[in-house]
Each structure stands twice: as structure tokens, then as C-alpha cells.
Amino acid sequence: MSRLTLSGDRFKMTDTSYASATVHLYETHLTDHASLTDVITTDLTKNSAGSTDSWLNLRSMRSCNGDETKALPPATTSTAWCWSSAHSDDTTAHWWPQGLSSTGVADGGDGAIQGHRVIAVSWHYKTFSQEPASDKTGCRTNNLLKLTLIDRDTHKYRHVLLAEPTSTSSSASDFTFVTGHGGGISWYANYLYVTDTSHGIRVFDINKLAKVDDYGSGVDTYGIHNGRSSACGYPYVLPEVHYYKQSGTPRSCDSDADNGAVDPDHLCYSWLSLDKSSGSPYKLVAGEWYGGVDGGRVVRYQLNPTSSSQFPGLLNMSGGKTVVQDAHAASRYRGLQGGMTWTDDRGVLNFAFHKGCGTQPGVYSHTWAGDTRAGTTCAAGGNWSAGPPQALSHWPKLGTAQVDEVWGLTEGICPSTSLQTNYGQDFPGATDQKDVCHPHRDDASTMSLRAVFAVGFDDSAVQNRH
């Protein structure tokens, strides 16, 4: 890792506040206020019209079985879940899990918020190039974002729509859905930070969760219409309160950046994590993904304490701009899908990364400032889970017990022959025999490579990987 010398406003962001707009919506339109407890424990069985609708039920994470266990890392897992099959969360080709965070890192005491230990996962919606244009609008818009909240203790979960007021005005009277890749999320206190790849970071307030008026599997509207609220069928909505944006946009956030050149002045916000290891100020860690180019940056922004008199729990501001703690270039790494940082007892800054390799085993790397070891590459066969791996997040404590877990997730599927036939451009069959999907290339059913897992932070298969 190479530390960067920063000058001027490089990598800084300005804040567009939606707080007043969200408060107005919360007080005048989204008046059926909901708590985190409501969202993860209320097992709705009927839609807003009073008809039985199993789509609304709480869903359950399950054990991973058969070949889908290849989505798990080669380390002892304290938790290993796959998604429910009831509504195809495990195999859907439209929704893709991306970022992960939890109350474990968000809370400074026992790992719980509102008495619950919860994992949050972001998903984006993917349209197929061969689909008609009419299937790519509204609640089926490409990169539509939703959030999943999972109760760690019951394994129950629910999807929630992320929303943005249609204006920043304190009299805002409507909201819309949010789009983006959702590659990274981080939970701190009551705030969920979500990446917007080319622009910056959105912030949503868990204390502003609300139940909408119209919900159910047949509802495909959103916002406020004729005085009634809806959220693409989901019963709960989570509104945005801040939107941090950089001054411009990168020339390209594609795999090879801009023909192999990374924009020196603008970031691609691909993933997030929270670093609380060296005390105040805590750091929000933002990283870049480039699949074909080395040198993605890792930038750490200062966070205000929750006790701060100004913007508690939000990014620290100076002169109207976010404060950058430091920035590093991953000069010997590429394809970083998730990462985290921490300062060890010697005062050395450490990094951990997930590097995706398609549906071959990905790469997990632990490195540190001054590390000169040669890194494991995808070409070397990887060393981690298939899927590929995405986010990384630290969970320090469960109650009074120090557990020090590293959480992650995978996103992949092995497409069925039907998906390959009907949407071949988006779902080509596996031709490489090293591909985990290769033995399933002729399967009639889609196979899941999607898992949520936790491994021990001090496990040798975690710390000694590179």
C-alpha cells in the first residue's frame, strides 16, 4: 500500500442535506413510524388491501447445502447462511447482494441497536439487455436499490426500499426510489452510509423508518399519490437524510478505469467499512474497484462522535468539505470488492481486502503499511470463497463477550440453461473448467453461490492470507 500525498480538495465531498425534507415527510406523509424492531419481527401475512400475501412474510436465512457451500471461505465460520428459496432470494437473476454492515460495528457497546443484533445487506436490481424497454422502468429500473435487515438471533429478514425526498425543501411532499450499484454500506449509530459509485455517499437514518400505506406483491408504485404512500410493494421505507458528493465524476469506473488510467482527482466509491480501532475520530473507509487495473485508492474520512454538538454520527466537515484522514493506493492489487482497515497494537495500519475472481475462488488478502510480500492473485487460483466475495465488516462484541468476527458475503449464481438461452449476453455459460459453475453449465435450475458468513478475525486462515 502506498500512502498518497493529498493537497487542496482532493477526494473531499460537500453535503447536500435532505434532513429537513425527510423530517417533513416523516411528520406529514410517512406518519406510520416504524422501529428496527417492527421491521425485523413483524410477520405480515396480508397486504394493505387485506388479502393474504405470502410475499410479505418475514423470510429466513438457511444453511448452505451441496455445491453452494463453495460460496463459503476456507476458514472456520461462526456463522454461515444462504438466502431463502421461498421467493428465490438465493437464485434471482434480477437482484444482486452487494454491501454488508451490522449493528456489531455500528454500536459501541454490546453489538445491538434497539436491543437487536442486525446485519444489513444492500442489493441492486439488474435488468437484462434482451428485455423489452417496458420491463426496465419504475420498480424494475436498472440499479434500483433495496436494503435487507437480518436478525442475527432469529435468522429472520425483511427487505426495505431505500428512498430519497424529491426535493431538499422543508416542505417536501414526495419521495422516489434510489438507484446505484450499492457496492458498499457501513452502519454507524443510527446512520447507514451507502455508496453512489460515481458521485459519493448517501446517508439513511434508521430512526426514520416508516410503514407505507399501500404494500403487497401486486403494488408497483412508489412515492406519494393521492395522499397515500407506497414503496414498490415493500411495506417499509428508509429515507435519505444526507448526500455527500465529490466535486466532479471520474472519467470511468469500468474494469480498466479510463483505458488503464485511474482518475487522479476523483474516486469511484465501490465499497465502505468502518474503522474504530484507534479511537476518535472514527474513520469511514471508502475503496475503489477496478477489475483490470492496479492502484485503486482507499480513502478514510473522519466521522464525528455520536456525542458531537454538530452533525453527531455524520462525516466531519471543515470549510464546507468532508475531512480526509488519509488516502492510500493499492498499488499491487486489483479487483477490490470489499475491504477494511485497522491500526494494531504497534500503531501499524493494516488492510484486509476481498478480491473477486468471477465464480472461481476469490482472493482474501491481509496486508499492512510497509508489507513487501508477493500477493496471491486470481491467476494463482485464489484462496477464498466463490461467488465472488464482496464486503468486509468487523463485529467486535456480542453482549459482554469479545468475539472479533469478520463478516462478508458473496453474490453469485450459476445460471440455468434457460437464463443462458434467453439472456445469453448477460448470462453466458461457464466454459472454463476452473469456474465453479462449470459442472452446472447444463443444469435446468439456477444454483446459488450467495452466502453471508462470519469468520474469526484472529483465525490463521484470515490473518495469514495474502
Side-chain angles (χ1 to χ4, degrees):
M1 301 295 296
S2 304
R3 182 159 181 165
L4 300 175
T5 300
L6 301 179
S7 60
D9 291 336
R10 191 182 185 193
F11 305 145
K12 294 181 180 180
M13 298 178 286
T14 56
D15 177 21
T16 299
S17 176
Y18 287 85
S20 296
T22 287
V23 167
H24 185 259
L25 283 170
Y26 195 64
E27 293 176 345
T28 59
H29 295 286
L30 298 171
T31 56
D32 192 353
H33 300 163
S35 66
L36 184 60
T37 300
D38 295 329
V39 173
I40 63 172
T41 64
T42 305
D43 198 6
L44 300 170
T45 59
K46 294 184 178 182
N47 60 27
S48 54
S51 300
T52 299
D53 191 344
S54 63
W55 184 79
L56 292 167
N57 294 349
L58 283 170
R59 303 175 189 185
S60 293
M61 303 300 288
R62 59 175 177 81
S63 298
C64 302
N65 301 299
D67 281 349
E68 68 180 354
T69 60
K70 294 176 180 177
L72 301 175
T76 301
T77 54
S78 56
T79 300
W81 297 325
C82 281
W83 297 93
S84 170
S85 302
H87 300 285
S88 301
D89 288 339
D90 54 349
T91 58
T92 173
H94 278 302
W95 285 104
W96 293 77
Q98 293 295 303
L100 179 147
S101 193
S102 74
T103 59
V105 70
D107 173 70
D110 60 0
I113 288 180
Q114 296 180 23
H116 296 278
R117 301 182 291 203
V118 179
I119 299 96
V121 175
S122 58
W123 302 63
H124 73 258
Y125 188 86
K126 177 180 178 179
T127 58
F128 306 149
S129 54
Q130 294 96 326
E131 287 181 310
S134 58
D135 287 344
K136 302 179 182 181
T137 61
C139 295
R140 295 186 298 274
T141 295
N142 195 52
N143 280 332
L144 178 78
L145 287 179
K146 69 179 179 183
L147 183 78
T148 303
L149 296 169
I150 309 168
D151 187 320
R152 173 175 179 146
D153 298 306
T154 67
H155 307 173
K156 301 279 189 178
Y157 69 90
R158 180 176 293 288
H159 302 307
V160 174
L161 189 72
L162 297 177
E164 179 184 81
T166 53
S167 80
T168 58
S169 169
S170 59
S171 60
S173 58
D174 201 1
F175 66 86
T176 186
F177 54 73
V178 173
T179 58
H181 193 73
I185 63 173
S186 189
W187 197 335
Y188 178 47
N190 56 297
Y191 293 120
L192 272 167
Y193 291 77
V194 181
T195 57
D196 186 343
T197 310
S198 295
H199 301 289
I201 301 170
R202 300 177 183 269
V203 187
F204 301 83
D205 188 352
I206 287 291
N207 290 340
K208 294 296 186 291
L209 279 163
K211 188 178 181 184
V212 295
D213 298 315
D214 297 325
Y215 54 87
S217 57
V219 176
D220 61 357
T221 56
Y222 55 91
I224 312 294
H225 300 283
N226 299 320
R228 294 184 64 83
S229 58
S230 59
C232 291
Y234 299 108
Y236 298 99
V237 66
L238 180 60
E240 182 177 283
V241 287
H242 291 272
Y243 190 180
Y244 298 101
K245 290 185 178 180
Q246 57 186 336
S247 60
T249 57
R251 291 192 293 266
S252 175
C253 291
D254 291 340
S255 177
D256 69 342
D258 182 21
N259 294 317
V262 175
D263 188 322
D265 299 315
H266 301 97
L267 287 179
C268 294
Y269 292 85
S270 302
W271 50 266
L272 292 176
S273 62
L274 183 60
D275 185 343
K276 300 165 76 174
S277 63
S278 56
S280 185
Y282 295 157
K283 272 75 71 175
L284 183 68
V285 185
E288 296 184 296
W289 169 87
Y290 297 112
V293 179
D294 293 341
R297 279 75 55 92
V298 178
V299 179
R300 302 196 304 166
Y301 294 92
Q302 290 185 6
L303 282 160
N304 285 319
T306 54
S307 59
S308 176
S309 59
Q310 286 191 319
F311 303 111
L314 294 167
L315 290 177
N316 188 14
M317 306 289 288
S318 177
K321 303 288 179 66
T322 55
V323 178
V324 177
Q325 176 75 20
D326 51 34
H328 298 77
S331 53
R332 297 188 294 135
Y333 300 89
R334 66 179 58 182
L336 305 185
Q337 304 255 88
M340 57 185 284
T341 69
W342 68 96
T343 301
D344 63 25
D345 294 340
R346 300 169 298 161
V348 175
L349 183 60
N350 287 247
F351 301 82
F353 298 125
H354 264 165
K355 295 180 280 183
C357 300
T359 47
Q360 298 177 37
V363 174
Y364 175 87
S365 287
H366 165 216
T367 186
W368 53 84
D371 183 10
T372 58
R373 297 173 302 163
T376 302
T377 66
C378 291
N383 62 25
W384 209 243
S385 50
Q390 298 290 310
L392 287 174
S393 184
H394 182 221
W395 194 313
K397 297 177 71 174
L398 281 177
T400 58
Q402 193 79 25
V403 293
D404 279 328
E405 296 169 329
V406 176
W407 282 71
L409 80 163
T410 52
E411 67 167 344
I413 58 174
C414 295
S416 66
T417 52
S418 176
L419 280 175
Q420 295 174 51
T421 299
N422 295 326
Y423 306 107
Q425 185 172 331
D426 299 280
F427 299 101
T431 56
D432 187 338
Q433 291 193 9
K434 293 185 295 183
D435 192 320
V436 173
C437 289
H438 188 265
H440 305 278
R441 66 192 183 282
D442 297 323
D443 286 1
S445 300
T446 296
M447 190 185 85
S448 173
L449 286 172
R450 290 176 177 158
V452 174
F453 56 82
V455 298
F457 185 86
D458 294 325
D459 191 314
S460 61
V462 176
Q463 289 295 336
N464 296 337
R465 294 288 188 182
H466 191 44

